[in-house]
Amino acid sequence: MKILRIDRQGVLNGAVYNDLESLRQNLCDYHSIDWQLGIDENDKDFIDIHSLTLDEIMDHGEWNYEKITDEEAKQYDDQR
């Protein structure tokens, strides 16, 4: 089983991950550049983006995912 990332805005579809944790980490890295702009890490309201759950980071960026077979994942590998 693989995890297919789905961009609900339709821009960055097609990435495949081995597990949900890899997807979560990738989305945290992707959004880290714009996460809590203007809030200093020492501010009491600062939240480390890497502490977010998968559901929280998916909601932040309008993402979704689908579980697919290894065979289905090959079609996305072929597109790269």
Side-chain angles (χ1 to χ4, degrees):
M1 178 188 75
K2 300 285 186 179
I3 306 298
L4 174 65
R5 183 186 69 205
I6 300 169
D7 180 353
R8 289 186 276 168
Q9 295 179 355
V11 178
L12 293 174
N13 288 324
V16 175
Y17 300 87
N18 290 326
D19 52 50
L20 293 173
E21 179 59 15
S22 296
L23 171 60
R24 186 191 74 80
Q25 290 176 8
N26 180 265
L27 292 177
C28 288
D29 289 344
Y30 180 80
H31 284 290
S32 66
I33 190 126
D34 65 357
W35 178 248
Q36 296 189 315
L37 285 176
I39 296 179
D40 186 273
E41 288 185 29
N42 297 318
D43 190 304
K44 65 178 176 61
D45 294 326
F46 180 80
I47 299 170
D48 180 2
I49 194 167
H50 293 281
S51 71
L52 298 180
T53 66
L54 177 59
D55 288 338
E56 290 169 334
I57 193 64
M58 285 191 335
D59 287 344
H60 173 72
E62 298 185 46
W63 302 99
N64 205 345
Y65 70 88
E66 180 181 335
K67 293 179 180 179
I68 60 175
T69 66
D70 290 348
E71 191 65 30
E72 290 170 316
K74 289 179 184 177
Q75 79 182 25
Y76 296 97
D77 289 339
D78 291 343
Q79 292 176 5
R80 293 184 177 192

